[in-house]
PDB file of all heavy atoms in Angstrom:
ATOM      1  N   ARG A1109      33.844 -61.962  38.142  1.00 89.00           N
ATOM      2  CA  ARG A1109      32.714 -62.406  37.322  1.00 89.00           C
ATOM      3  C   ARG A1109      32.119 -61.399  36.582  1.00 89.00           C
ATOM      4  O   ARG A1109      31.717 -61.286  35.459  1.00 89.00           O
ATOM      5  CB  ARG A1109      31.609 -62.949  38.288  1.00 89.00           C
ATOM      6  CG  ARG A1109      31.611 -64.536  38.358  1.00 89.00           C
ATOM      7  CD  ARG A1109      30.251 -64.973  38.695  1.00 89.00           C
ATOM      8  NE  ARG A1109      29.689 -64.367  39.836  1.00 89.00           N
ATOM      9  CZ  ARG A1109      29.820 -64.703  41.158  1.00 89.00           C
ATOM     10  NH1 ARG A1109      30.565 -65.780  41.520  1.00 89.00           N
ATOM     11  NH2 ARG A1109      29.185 -64.140  42.128  1.00 89.00           N
ATOM     12  N   ARG A1120      30.065 -59.477  22.283  1.00 89.00           N
ATOM     13  CA  ARG A1120      29.177 -60.369  21.571  1.00 89.00           C
ATOM     14  C   ARG A1120      27.954 -59.503  20.923  1.00 89.00           C
ATOM     15  O   ARG A1120      27.428 -59.921  19.872  1.00 89.00           O
ATOM     16  CB  ARG A1120      28.419 -61.431  22.586  1.00 89.00           C
ATOM     17  CG  ARG A1120      28.506 -62.724  22.055  1.00 89.00           C
ATOM     18  CD  ARG A1120      28.126 -63.708  23.070  1.00 89.00           C
ATOM     19  NE  ARG A1120      27.010 -63.315  23.765  1.00 89.00           N
ATOM     20  CZ  ARG A1120      26.010 -64.376  23.937  1.00 89.00           C
ATOM     21  NH1 ARG A1120      26.140 -65.554  23.411  1.00 89.00           N
ATOM     22  NH2 ARG A1120      24.904 -63.978  24.564  1.00 89.00           N
ATOM     23  N   ASN A1121      27.755 -58.268  21.425  1.00 89.00           N
ATOM     24  CA  ASN A1121      26.650 -57.561  20.912  1.00 89.00           C
ATOM     25  C   ASN A1121      27.186 -56.461  19.878  1.00 89.00           C
ATOM     26  O   ASN A1121      26.438 -55.612  19.473  1.00 89.00           O
ATOM     27  CB  ASN A1121      25.839 -57.013  22.010  1.00 89.00           C
ATOM     28  CG  ASN A1121      25.092 -58.012  22.720  1.00 89.00           C
ATOM     29  OD1 ASN A1121      24.453 -58.851  22.209  1.00 89.00           O
ATOM     30  ND2 ASN A1121      25.186 -58.052  24.091  1.00 89.00           N
ATOM     31  N   THR A1125      32.809 -55.452  12.590  1.00 90.00           N
ATOM     32  CA  THR A1125      33.088 -54.343  11.914  1.00 90.00           C
ATOM     33  C   THR A1125      33.509 -53.105  12.833  1.00 90.00           C
ATOM     34  O   THR A1125      34.577 -52.570  12.622  1.00 90.00           O
ATOM     35  CB  THR A1125      32.177 -53.677  10.958  1.00 90.00           C
ATOM     36  OG1 THR A1125      31.236 -54.894  10.665  1.00 90.00           O
ATOM     37  CG2 THR A1125      32.596 -53.181   9.752  1.00 90.00           C
ATOM     38  N   TYR A1174      37.029 -60.221  19.486  1.00 93.00           N
ATOM     39  CA  TYR A1174      35.659 -60.582  19.198  1.00 93.00           C
ATOM     40  C   TYR A1174      35.414 -61.929  19.460  1.00 93.00           C
ATOM     41  O   TYR A1174      34.418 -62.484  20.007  1.00 93.00           O
ATOM     42  CB  TYR A1174      35.436 -60.150  17.780  1.00 93.00           C
ATOM     43  CG  TYR A1174      34.035 -60.296  17.270  1.00 93.00           C
ATOM     44  CD1 TYR A1174      33.010 -59.482  17.521  1.00 93.00           C
ATOM     45  CD2 TYR A1174      33.782 -61.402  16.390  1.00 93.00           C
ATOM     46  CE1 TYR A1174      31.724 -59.659  17.037  1.00 93.00           C
ATOM     47  CE2 TYR A1174      32.474 -61.648  15.875  1.00 93.00           C
ATOM     48  CZ  TYR A1174      31.535 -60.738  16.312  1.00 93.00           C
ATOM     49  OH  TYR A1174      30.194 -60.943  15.741  1.00 93.00           O
ATOM     50  N   SER A1185      29.146 -73.171  28.081  1.00 87.00           N
ATOM     51  CA  SER A1185      28.145 -74.012  27.972  1.00 87.00           C
ATOM     52  C   SER A1185      28.621 -75.515  28.177  1.00 87.00           C
ATOM     53  O   SER A1185      27.767 -76.343  28.679  1.00 87.00           O
ATOM     54  CB  SER A1185      27.651 -73.953  26.520  1.00 87.00           C
ATOM     55  OG  SER A1185      28.457 -74.528  25.647  1.00 87.00           O
ATOM     56  N   ASN A1188      28.330 -75.939  31.899  1.00 85.00           N
ATOM     57  CA  ASN A1188      27.062 -76.139  32.384  1.00 85.00           C
ATOM     58  C   ASN A1188      26.584 -77.514  31.944  1.00 85.00           C
ATOM     59  O   ASN A1188      25.530 -77.901  32.574  1.00 85.00           O
ATOM     60  CB  ASN A1188      26.236 -75.068  31.704  1.00 85.00           C
ATOM     61  CG  ASN A1188      26.321 -73.750  32.465  1.00 85.00           C
ATOM     62  OD1 ASN A1188      26.937 -73.701  33.489  1.00 85.00           O
ATOM     63  ND2 ASN A1188      25.865 -72.629  31.835  1.00 85.00           N
ATOM     64  N   ARG A1199      32.936 -81.396  45.468  1.00 86.00           N
ATOM     65  CA  ARG A1199      32.995 -80.398  46.565  1.00 86.00           C
ATOM     66  C   ARG A1199      32.836 -81.197  47.958  1.00 86.00           C
ATOM     67  O   ARG A1199      33.531 -80.848  48.813  1.00 86.00           O
ATOM     68  CB  ARG A1199      31.704 -79.442  46.448  1.00 86.00           C
ATOM     69  CG  ARG A1199      32.129 -78.171  45.870  1.00 86.00           C
ATOM     70  CD  ARG A1199      30.931 -77.407  45.426  1.00 86.00           C
ATOM     71  NE  ARG A1199      29.968 -77.307  46.557  1.00 86.00           N
ATOM     72  CZ  ARG A1199      28.673 -77.130  46.229  1.00 86.00           C
ATOM     73  NH1 ARG A1199      28.190 -76.952  44.964  1.00 86.00           N
ATOM     74  NH2 ARG A1199      27.884 -77.115  47.215  1.00 86.00           N
ATOM     75  N   LYS A1234      35.234 -67.349   8.633  1.00 90.00           N
ATOM     76  CA  LYS A1234      34.457 -66.548   7.711  1.00 90.00           C
ATOM     77  C   LYS A1234      34.593 -65.192   8.095  1.00 90.00           C
ATOM     78  O   LYS A1234      34.724 -64.383   7.149  1.00 90.00           O
ATOM     79  CB  LYS A1234      32.998 -67.073   7.854  1.00 90.00           C
ATOM     80  CG  LYS A1234      32.891 -68.408   7.307  1.00 90.00           C
ATOM     81  CD  LYS A1234      31.399 -68.792   7.029  1.00 90.00           C
ATOM     82  CE  LYS A1234      30.847 -69.248   8.545  1.00 90.00           C
ATOM     83  NZ  LYS A1234      29.418 -69.717   8.326  1.00 90.00           N
ATOM     84  N   THR A1256      39.536 -58.342  -9.641  1.00 78.00           N
ATOM     85  CA  THR A1256      38.457 -57.859 -10.447  1.00 78.00           C
ATOM     86  C   THR A1256      38.288 -56.450 -10.742  1.00 78.00           C
ATOM     87  O   THR A1256      38.187 -56.061 -11.906  1.00 78.00           O
ATOM     88  CB  THR A1256      37.026 -58.165  -9.721  1.00 78.00           C
ATOM     89  OG1 THR A1256      37.041 -57.718  -8.496  1.00 78.00           O
ATOM     90  CG2 THR A1256      36.846 -59.677  -9.806  1.00 78.00           C
TER      91      THR A1256
ATOM     92  N   ILE B 508      27.385 -74.365  41.254  1.00 69.00           N
ATOM     93  CA  ILE B 508      27.537 -75.580  41.782  1.00 69.00           C
ATOM     94  C   ILE B 508      28.992 -75.777  42.061  1.00 69.00           C
ATOM     95  O   ILE B 508      29.439 -76.836  42.506  1.00 69.00           O
ATOM     96  CB  ILE B 508      26.874 -76.576  41.156  1.00 69.00           C
ATOM     97  CG1 ILE B 508      27.348 -76.570  39.555  1.00 69.00           C
ATOM     98  CG2 ILE B 508      25.434 -76.620  41.191  1.00 69.00           C
ATOM     99  CD1 ILE B 508      27.236 -77.883  38.884  1.00 69.00           C
ATOM    100  N   TYR B 510      31.306 -74.096  43.783  1.00 73.00           N
ATOM    101  CA  TYR B 510      31.984 -73.921  45.028  1.00 73.00           C
ATOM    102  C   TYR B 510      30.905 -73.807  46.075  1.00 73.00           C
ATOM    103  O   TYR B 510      29.680 -73.608  45.849  1.00 73.00           O
ATOM    104  CB  TYR B 510      32.790 -72.601  44.950  1.00 73.00           C
ATOM    105  CG  TYR B 510      32.113 -71.559  44.091  1.00 73.00           C
ATOM    106  CD1 TYR B 510      31.232 -70.686  44.626  1.00 73.00           C
ATOM    107  CD2 TYR B 510      32.596 -71.311  42.801  1.00 73.00           C
ATOM    108  CE1 TYR B 510      30.684 -69.729  43.892  1.00 73.00           C
ATOM    109  CE2 TYR B 510      32.010 -70.260  42.072  1.00 73.00           C
ATOM    110  CZ  TYR B 510      31.094 -69.520  42.498  1.00 73.00           C
ATOM    111  OH  TYR B 510      30.484 -68.564  41.818  1.00 73.00           O
ATOM    112  N   ASP B 511      31.380 -74.069  47.282  1.00 72.00           N
ATOM    113  CA  ASP B 511      30.388 -74.045  48.414  1.00 72.00           C
ATOM    114  C   ASP B 511      29.992 -72.661  48.848  1.00 72.00           C
ATOM    115  O   ASP B 511      30.630 -71.668  48.447  1.00 72.00           O
ATOM    116  CB  ASP B 511      31.021 -74.650  49.707  1.00 72.00           C
ATOM    117  CG  ASP B 511      31.232 -76.138  49.428  1.00 72.00           C
ATOM    118  OD1 ASP B 511      30.108 -76.903  49.250  1.00 72.00           O
ATOM    119  OD2 ASP B 511      32.355 -76.661  49.341  1.00 72.00           O
ATOM    120  N   ARG B 643      26.541 -71.768   3.112  1.00 88.00           N
ATOM    121  CA  ARG B 643      26.844 -71.568   4.622  1.00 88.00           C
ATOM    122  C   ARG B 643      28.426 -71.588   4.917  1.00 88.00           C
ATOM    123  O   ARG B 643      28.722 -70.985   5.886  1.00 88.00           O
ATOM    124  CB  ARG B 643      26.310 -72.840   5.371  1.00 88.00           C
ATOM    125  CG  ARG B 643      25.864 -72.705   6.705  1.00 88.00           C
ATOM    126  CD  ARG B 643      24.955 -73.852   7.272  1.00 88.00           C
ATOM    127  NE  ARG B 643      25.684 -75.171   7.093  1.00 88.00           N
ATOM    128  CZ  ARG B 643      25.740 -76.001   7.945  1.00 88.00           C
ATOM    129  NH1 ARG B 643      24.882 -75.863   9.080  1.00 88.00           N
ATOM    130  NH2 ARG B 643      26.317 -77.163   7.799  1.00 88.00           N
ATOM    131  N   ARG B 656      29.158 -56.847  -6.715  1.00 83.00           N
ATOM    132  CA  ARG B 656      29.922 -56.755  -7.863  1.00 83.00           C
ATOM    133  C   ARG B 656      29.605 -57.647  -8.968  1.00 83.00           C
ATOM    134  O   ARG B 656      29.729 -57.348 -10.203  1.00 83.00           O
ATOM    135  CB  ARG B 656      31.376 -57.200  -7.407  1.00 83.00           C
ATOM    136  CG  ARG B 656      32.485 -56.936  -8.304  1.00 83.00           C
ATOM    137  CD  ARG B 656      32.817 -55.550  -8.701  1.00 83.00           C
ATOM    138  NE  ARG B 656      33.282 -54.571  -7.632  1.00 83.00           N
ATOM    139  CZ  ARG B 656      34.574 -54.757  -7.198  1.00 83.00           C
ATOM    140  NH1 ARG B 656      35.413 -55.536  -7.743  1.00 83.00           N
ATOM    141  NH2 ARG B 656      35.006 -53.922  -6.234  1.00 83.00           N
ATOM    142  N   LYS B 738      23.786 -57.353  13.282  1.00 88.00           N
ATOM    143  CA  LYS B 738      25.193 -57.024  13.375  1.00 88.00           C
ATOM    144  C   LYS B 738      25.730 -56.938  11.864  1.00 88.00           C
ATOM    145  O   LYS B 738      26.569 -56.065  11.675  1.00 88.00           O
ATOM    146  CB  LYS B 738      25.859 -57.955  14.279  1.00 88.00           C
ATOM    147  CG  LYS B 738      25.636 -57.793  15.635  1.00 88.00           C
ATOM    148  CD  LYS B 738      26.764 -58.422  16.538  1.00 88.00           C
ATOM    149  CE  LYS B 738      26.936 -59.954  16.301  1.00 88.00           C
ATOM    150  NZ  LYS B 738      27.902 -60.428  17.326  1.00 88.00           N
ATOM    151  N   SER B 741      26.081 -53.930   9.336  1.00 88.00           N
ATOM    152  CA  SER B 741      27.258 -53.092   9.491  1.00 88.00           C
ATOM    153  C   SER B 741      28.166 -53.272   8.322  1.00 88.00           C
ATOM    154  O   SER B 741      28.987 -52.469   8.023  1.00 88.00           O
ATOM    155  CB  SER B 741      27.908 -53.129  10.777  1.00 88.00           C
ATOM    156  OG  SER B 741      28.437 -54.322  10.810  1.00 88.00           O
ATOM    157  N   ASN B 780      21.174 -54.920  20.549  1.00 89.00           N
ATOM    158  CA  ASN B 780      21.410 -56.463  20.477  1.00 89.00           C
ATOM    159  C   ASN B 780      21.340 -57.042  21.852  1.00 89.00           C
ATOM    160  O   ASN B 780      20.957 -58.164  21.973  1.00 89.00           O
ATOM    161  CB  ASN B 780      22.880 -56.761  19.924  1.00 89.00           C
ATOM    162  CG  ASN B 780      22.854 -56.423  18.484  1.00 89.00           C
ATOM    163  OD1 ASN B 780      21.882 -56.552  17.855  1.00 89.00           O
ATOM    164  ND2 ASN B 780      24.053 -56.122  18.034  1.00 89.00           N
ATOM    165  N   ALA B 812      23.214 -72.487  22.279  1.00 39.00           N
ATOM    166  CA  ALA B 812      24.559 -72.345  22.550  1.00 39.00           C
ATOM    167  C   ALA B 812      24.972 -72.268  24.021  1.00 39.00           C
ATOM    168  O   ALA B 812      25.914 -72.900  24.480  1.00 39.00           O
ATOM    169  CB  ALA B 812      25.091 -71.083  21.810  1.00 39.00           C
ATOM    170  N   VAL B 820      20.728 -78.111  35.275  1.00 32.00           N
ATOM    171  CA  VAL B 820      21.675 -78.748  34.391  1.00 32.00           C
ATOM    172  C   VAL B 820      21.285 -80.185  34.231  1.00 32.00           C
ATOM    173  O   VAL B 820      20.962 -80.815  35.183  1.00 32.00           O
ATOM    174  CB  VAL B 820      23.167 -78.848  34.965  1.00 32.00           C
ATOM    175  CG1 VAL B 820      23.976 -79.318  33.908  1.00 32.00           C
ATOM    176  CG2 VAL B 820      23.560 -77.426  35.181  1.00 32.00           C
TER     177      VAL B 820
END
Side-chain angles (χ1 to χ4, degrees):
Chain A
R1109 261 206 312 272
R1120 229 164 51 129
N1121 292 312
T1125 333
Y1174 181 78
S1185 79
N1188 282 347
R1199 264 165 51 200
K1234 292 190 277 182
T1256 51
Chain B
I508 50 155
Y510 37 83
D511 288 297
R643 210 165 54 141
R656 193 59 72 74
K738 286 204 295 188
S741 67
N780 286 332
V820 183

